[in-house]
Amino acid sequence: MRAWMTSVHDGLGLRTGTVIFMASAAVIAVFVIATIAFTAQVDAVFQTLTGWILENLGWFYVLGVTVFLVFLIYMAVSRFGRVRLGPDDEGPEHSGWAWFGMLFAAGIGTILMFWGVAEPINHLANPPMQDVPPGSPEAFEQAMAFTLYHFGLHTWTIFTLPALCFAYFMYKRNLPPRVSSIFHPLLGDRIHGPLGAVIDVTAIVGTMFGVAVSVGLGTLQINSGLASLFGIEESRLVQILIIAAVSAVAIISVAVGLDRGIKRLSNFNIVVAVGLLCFVVVTGPTLFLLQGTIETAGTYLAWLPELAFWNDTVNDSGWQNGWTVFYWAWTISWSPFVGIFIARISRGRSIRQFIVGVLAVPVTFSVIWFGVFGWGSYDIERNDPGALTGPVVDDGDIPGALFTFLESFPLTTLMSVIAIMLVVVFFTTSVDSAALVMDTIANGHEDPAPTRQRVFWALCVALVAGTLLGATGAGGLQALQEVIIVVGLPFFVMGYVMIYSLVRALKEDAGERRPLRTKRWGRVLPPEEAARRAAEDEPGHPARDDGDPEEKGPLLRKTDSAPRDQVPPRS
C-alpha cells in the first residue's frame, strides 16, 4: 500500500508527506461520497453520537475552554511569559498592524459578519436562561452577555492554546509544523511514526470539516445578500456558483503566497470592516451606540465568571447544547488550522506578548463590533417591533440578518454591496490560509513547496462545502455540523495534553534556572523530507545545493545556550 501511495505521489510531482497527504485526501473523499450516497444513514449515525455527547459531555466542553483560558492567563503572568517564540535575540516578523489584520481575517472574520446581528436578535427573542421576558431590556442585556461569551475570550482561547504550543515547538525546538510535534515530550521521535501520522491526519480532516462549515455559512450569507439586492434566487445552483467563484479568487491568493496574498487581503479587509463599523455608528443613533457599547463591555466582564461555568443545570432546556457546546466543538475542530497559522505569523514574539495580543486585540474588536451591531439591532427592534425578529427569528432567515439590518440605514444598496464584498474576502482568506496550513501539516516543513499542493487543499475545501450544499442541501450541512461535535471531543482531550506538553517542555528547556536560558534545538525534518534532501545532496543530482547544516532529519540535537558555569545562580 505504501509503495502504491509513493508511486502515485511521485507521479503527481508532489513533495509532501506521502502517508499523511494520501490518507487525509482518502478520508475526505470517503466522507464526501458517503454523505452524498448515504445521507440518511450518515445523519442517523452522527445524530446518535452527537445526541449522546450533548446529553452527557456538554459540561466537559464548557469546563474545558474555561480551564484553557485560566492556563493562558497563568502563562502570561508567570516567569515563562518572558520566553521568546524563536531565537532569544529575534524580534517579531510582522508589524503589529499586519499581525492583527491576519489574526482577525483568519480567525472569525466571516463569523462576525454572519452573527453580528443574528445572534443578539435571536437571544433577545429567546433569552438563554429563560428567566426574563423576551424582548425586554433584561433580555437584551442577557443576549449581549451570551453573544460576547461566544465570540470573546473563550473563542480566542480555543485558538490561542494550540497556537502557543505550535509556536513554541516549531520555533523553539524547531520541530515540524505538525500537531504531532506538540506530543514530542510524551512520544519523542515516535511523532514521526504511525501514531504521529494518525494525529496529523485527524488534524487535517478536522480542519477541513470546520472550514467547510464556515464556507457554507459564508455562501448562504452571500446568496442572501445577492437575493436582497438583485433578486437572485437562493438555490443550490447559485450557492455552487458562489463557492466556485470565491474559491477561484482564493486559489489566486494561494498561488501568490502569504505576504502578497493573505497579508494584503487581510489588511484591506480590516480597513473596510472598520469603515462599515464607523458608518453604522455615524449614520445610526450615535450616542446610543457608543453608550451601549461601553455598557456592554461592562456587562460582559460582570457576567463572564458565571457564564464560564454555566451549564443550564436547572432548566435543562437544551439551549446550551444548540449554541455554546456546538460553538466550542466547531471552533476547536479547526483550531489546528488557525493555531498553526497564528504561530506562523507570530514568530519572534514573547509568550506574554503573544497571549496578550492574540486574546486582547481581537476580543476588544469583537466587543466593539457586537456592541455596535447589537445595540443598533436593539434600537431598530424597540422602535419597530418585529422588524428584525420577524424575518430573522420567526422566518429563520439568519443569513439575511445583516442585510435586513442595513435596510434601516442610508445608502442601503451600497452598504450591502460592501458587506457582501467583506464576506467574500473573509471567505477567501479563510480558504487561502486553511490551504496553506493543511499543506504545511502534510509537508512537515515551511519551506517552499509545489503550489499545486496548496491549490489542491483549496479545491478540497470548495468541493466539500459545495458537495454538501449542492448534493444534499441542508441535510448535508446538518450532518457535517453533527460530525464536528463528534470530532471536537478528541480535540478537547488533546487540549489538556497540550497544556502538559508545553509546561514540561518549558521546564526542560529552561532548566528551572533564572534568568531563563533555553536550549538550542537543531532543525528537524520529517524522515521522508530528510531522505529527499539527502538524495539531492548526492554528487550529480540536479537539485544539489549547499544545504542547511542544521537539517539532520528526525534525530534531535540540542546544546545548552551557555556553558553551565556561566549561568547565574538562582536568585
Side-chain angles (χ1 to χ4, degrees), residues 259-296:
D259 285 336
R260 290 191 296 166
I262 299 174
K263 189 172 182 178
R264 291 182 179 179
L265 285 174
S266 299
N267 290 339
F268 167 79
N269 225 34
I270 199 65
V271 171
V272 177
V274 170
L276 177 62
L277 188 72
C278 293
F279 170 82
V280 173
V281 172
V282 172
T283 61
T286 305
L287 183 60
F288 183 75
L289 295 181
L290 294 176
Q291 290 176 328
T293 300
I294 295 173
E295 186 174 314
T296 293

Side-chain angles (χ1 to χ4, degrees), residues 278-499:
C278 293
F279 170 82
V280 173
V281 172
V282 172
T283 61
T286 305
L287 183 60
F288 183 75
L289 295 181
L290 294 176
Q291 290 176 328
T293 300
I294 295 173
E295 186 174 314
T296 293
T299 299
Y300 172 51
L301 294 176
W303 281 64
L304 185 59
E306 179 181 1
L307 298 183
F309 297 96
W310 186 70
N311 275 287
D312 197 17
T313 306
V314 176
N315 291 329
D316 195 22
S317 63
W319 180 93
Q320 194 175 47
N321 289 338
W323 288 90
T324 307
V325 175
F326 170 71
Y327 275 151
W328 295 168
W330 173 21
T331 305
I332 207 167
S333 70
W334 54 309
S335 63
F337 140 54
V338 181
I340 288 185
F341 182 79
I342 292 175
R344 287 196 63 174
I345 63 177
S346 303
R347 178 170 179 157
R349 299 184 185 273
S350 70
I351 287 178
R352 183 172 295 118
Q353 291 172 336
F354 180 88
I355 293 174
V356 171
V358 179
L359 285 182
V361 179
V363 170
T364 299
F365 188 89
S366 295
V367 169
I368 296 172
W369 183 274
F370 281 105
V372 169
F373 282 91
W375 281 93
S377 302
Y378 180 57
D379 182 68
I380 293 171
E381 188 65 22
R382 70 173 183 161
N383 292 322
D384 184 11
L388 286 175
T389 56
V392 176
V393 182
D394 298 337
D395 299 339
D397 186 19
I398 292 177
L402 176 61
F403 304 105
T404 303
F405 171 85
L406 291 174
E407 290 175 2
S408 299
F409 291 81
L411 304 175
T412 299
T413 300
L414 175 61
M415 290 300 107
S416 296
V417 170
I418 290 175
I420 292 174
M421 180 179 66
L422 274 171
V423 176
V424 168
V425 180
F426 278 131
F427 186 157
T428 301
T429 53
S430 292
V431 175
D432 188 343
S433 50
L436 176 68
V437 168
M438 286 186 285
D439 188 48
T440 299
I441 295 175
N443 297 344
H445 61 84
E446 298 180 273
D447 295 336
T451 302
R452 68 177 72 90
Q453 295 173 189
R454 298 194 304 279
V455 171
F456 168 80
W457 293 116
L459 288 173
C460 280
V461 173
L463 177 64
V464 170
T467 301
L468 291 168
L469 283 176
T472 59
L477 191 57
Q478 180 64 33
L480 183 55
Q481 292 171 339
E482 290 169 351
V483 169
I484 285 174
I485 292 178
V486 177
V487 171
L489 183 58
F491 280 96
F492 267 99
V493 175
M494 193 183 300
Y496 289 95
V497 178
M498 290 180 183
I499 290 174

Side-chain angles (χ1 to χ4, degrees), residues 15 531-546:
R15 181 161 185 160
R532 286 192 196 103
R533 298 191 186 193
E536 290 171 357
D537 282 342
E538 292 294 325
H541 194 285
R544 183 181 179 184
D545 55 28
D546 293 336

Side-chain angles (χ1 to χ4, degrees), residues 11 74 84 101 114-115 132 142 181 241 250 255 357 360 445 459 478 546 563:
Y74 160 75
R84 193 163 293 278
F114 191 89
W115 290 110
V132 293
Q142 189 174 128
S181 294
L241 293 176
H445 61 84
L459 288 173
Q478 180 64 33
D546 293 336

